[in-house]
Amino acid sequence: MTSTPTFSLGPALLFCPADRPERFEKALDRADAVILDLEDAVAGEAKAAARGALIDSHLDPDRVIVRVNPLGSAEFVSDLATLSQTDYRTIMLAKAESPKRISRLDPRFAVVALLETARGVVHAERIAEQHNVVALMWGAEDLVASLGGTSSRRPSGRYRDVARHARARVLLAAGAEGKAAIDAVHLDIDDLRGLRQEARDAAASGFAATACIHPGQVEVIRGAYRPGAAQVRAAEALLAAAAAHADGVFVHDGRMIDEPVLRHARETVARATR
């Protein structure tokens, strides 16, 4: 059995319509990785041209994800035929729902499963188990639409409970299988404060990356995932104290310290160097 490929892109993943090739290189330069979108961002009549643009592009394939249309659609078949003519080998599968069908995809492609329907979220754990799935992402607006709802957020801007549940379930399903989790986009481009709060929460909760739709959101996300100098100093001091203690549990600055707390500190130091 082939080993599962890993996902190490992030923290800021920038969507770019695949029918706008003049934006490809700029988007990749601005972000940690670019998601070239063949699905919702491209109108039906422009999809053929978008596929041609992908074939003609020459981006670093290690930093490119291509969002393809849902399994079962004629567009999906054309999308994969197109990608077979390129070096791009990481796909984001829109509206992923069926673990069995995902497992049977062309083994050349690593899959980021985008769970944005009720059925997809309910199957999150089984989808995360599939050998070719490297990451899970969730989508709020399509999810609520699949339930017959009208908005994923309250008037305050906070997610409704169903969206928060889906976000947590996708994160837990990914983590249980050692896969990466990607947080949903923040659609209000001008709400950088709200984006910063959500990205900080995503980083603290264990998400590997946050997707975004505008270049102006990239540095906000990067800053949210990057621990501050004071956090790094505290983590380093804690790890130094741990090295001086032979016992498994000890007290540091009035706190009981055990292995889970040390793992938090190690992750803080690691994120500061990424």
Side-chain angles (χ1 to χ4, degrees), residues 179-270:
K179 309 291 177 72
I182 303 169
D183 204 12
V185 299
H186 193 83
L187 291 179
D188 189 342
I189 295 171
D190 295 327
D191 180 25
L192 296 182
R193 180 174 178 271
L195 171 64
R196 184 175 294 108
Q197 290 175 337
E198 286 182 6
R200 283 176 176 168
D201 179 76
S205 298
F207 281 93
T210 293
C212 57
I213 57 173
H214 190 275
Q217 297 176 316
V218 168
E219 286 306 319
V220 174
I221 293 170
R222 284 175 171 165
Y225 275 79
R226 187 185 306 118
Q231 288 178 282
V232 175
R233 286 194 299 269
E236 290 174 336
L238 175 56
L239 294 173
H245 285 78
D247 297 334
V249 177
F250 64 98
V251 175
H252 178 77
D253 287 345
R255 296 175 65 206
M256 188 197 79
I257 306 300
D258 58 5
E259 181 56 27
V261 178
L262 293 177
R263 288 173 63 187
H264 295 172
R266 293 186 197 107
E267 179 62 23
T268 297
V269 172

Side-chain angles (χ1 to χ4, degrees), residues 85-104:
Q85 302 175 61
T86 74
D87 292 329
Y88 305 135
R89 289 295 178 265
T90 302
I91 62 172
M92 177 177 286
L93 180 60
K95 298 175 180 62
E97 294 183 340
S98 170
K100 184 178 293 186
R101 296 187 69 184
I102 291 171
S103 71
R104 294 174 177 171

Side-chain angles (χ1 to χ4, degrees), residues 48-67:
R51 295 185 187 104
L54 282 183
I55 292 172
D56 292 338
S57 65
H58 301 285
L59 304 178
D60 177 0
D62 291 336
R63 295 175 57 213
V64 173
I65 303 166
V66 180
R67 178 159 77 166

